[in-house]
Amino acid sequence: MQFIFKRLMHSDAQADRVVPPSGFTAQLTLFAAGSMAFLAVFALALSLAAGRLATQWGEELARSATIRIAAPDEQQQAQTNAALRILETTKGVAQARALSDEEQAALLAPWFGSELQLDALPVPRLIEVIETSDGMDAAGLRLRLAAEVPGAVLDDHSRWRGPLVKAASRLRLLGWASIILIAAVTAAMVTLAANAALAANAQVIAVLRLVGATDDYIAHAFIRRFTLRALIGAAAGMVLGMIAVLFMPRGGDETASFLTGLGFQGVHWLVPLLIPPLAAAVAFAATRLAARRTLEGLS
């Protein structure tokens, strides 16, 4: 990377005239770099948000469990109290409490409506269990509950915790794969633009060779101009992308919505700043390869 910017800083006015300062190739390079950088910002936001979501789900679900007390009405309260007494003496349990009727009704509201009367359904009593950082022995707790509270069923969320975290992790990989694809498309567009510029200046290149200019001298003029175009275009696209992400809706701390959490947090706002230099590096490599092949073909 340091080598690339060192070459960019070395300007030769005579060599720079070889590359047209405006026209189709300039517009194509600027537009391609800007568009790809804009998309890369969203791909980064997607990947980082998915990573945060996977971590959040993993931590929250790993530290929580639920006990369902499915017993006749006349025994439900007694079994609930017995389960709570067991949890008080269970190592690794930080907090345990029985959910109120209002809380259970709120959990069922999305399926049965807000006017649900719990008396009309055989709804089990739920006990929320919060574990310590060391965790609890779920197998041992199940044995104690089976012996002392026949109607109790422990759910440590392991059945659906794994798929959720796995899905979020794969979404993060999808974001990074999108960034790689964006870099490949940028390289392809810059290569096409560089080839067009080299072909359009074939006669100028031939004259430069007659007066003693080397292929490295000629190639450097194209490399420098197209790399700078990619850097400027990517910088503009990055700024627009960050502004768009900044104005996306935000959810409160109480929400776990993925879409309202799509964005950057803390030091992650600095990550998109890597996009312009990376775009310049891609353009540098693509133009260098295109210039070498085209100049060999013009020999």
Side-chain angles (χ1 to χ4, degrees), residues 7-228:
R7 294 292 300 271
L8 290 178
M9 296 303 296
H10 177 65
S11 176
D12 188 321
Q14 296 297 327
D16 286 346
R17 294 194 183 98
V18 176
V19 186
S22 61
F24 171 73
T25 57
Q27 296 174 1
L28 177 61
T29 305
L30 288 170
F31 177 76
S35 300
M36 293 300 102
F38 184 86
L39 295 176
V41 170
F42 282 93
L44 274 174
L46 171 67
S47 181
L48 294 173
R52 291 194 303 269
L53 195 63
T55 301
Q56 178 183 351
W57 282 351
E59 291 179 352
E60 290 183 356
L61 294 178
R63 295 186 60 246
S64 66
T66 303
I67 295 179
R68 299 192 306 273
I69 307 295
D73 293 341
E74 63 275 9
Q75 299 179 16
Q76 192 174 76
Q77 187 59 49
Q79 292 199 24
T80 300
N81 294 335
L84 290 172
R85 286 194 297 269
I86 292 174
L87 292 171
E88 290 176 357
T89 59
T90 300
K91 184 178 180 181
V93 175
Q95 180 183 354
R97 69 180 185 91
L99 298 185
S100 64
D101 291 342
E102 292 75 13
E103 290 174 316
Q104 294 197 183
L107 292 175
L108 296 173
W111 291 272
F112 297 98
S114 57
E115 302 299 327
L116 173 67
Q117 298 295 328
L118 293 182
D119 296 339
L121 293 175
V123 178
R125 176 64 61 187
L126 298 180
I127 298 177
E128 180 187 40
V129 181
I130 304 299
E131 303 178 31
T132 63
S133 57
D134 297 331
M136 66 179 182
D137 181 9
L141 179 57
R142 284 192 178 95
L143 292 176
R144 291 188 63 188
L145 290 173
E148 302 181 35
V149 190
V153 178
L154 174 64
D155 183 3
D156 60 1
H157 305 159
S158 58
R159 290 181 302 172
W160 54 282
R161 177 178 63 200
L164 282 176
V165 175
K166 188 176 182 180
S169 299
R170 287 187 176 180
L171 194 60
R172 174 173 52 187
L173 291 178
L174 178 62
W176 288 113
S178 299
I179 294 173
I180 295 174
L181 184 60
I182 288 171
V185 172
T186 302
M189 296 298 292
V190 173
T191 300
L192 290 175
N195 284 333
L198 286 162
N201 288 273
Q203 294 182 352
V204 177
I205 292 173
V207 173
L208 289 174
R209 281 173 168 172
L210 288 176
V211 299
T214 64
D215 285 352
D216 183 67
Y217 175 85
I218 298 171
H220 175 65
F222 285 90
I223 292 172
R224 181 175 182 276
R225 182 64 63 82
F226 279 89
T227 304
L228 286 176

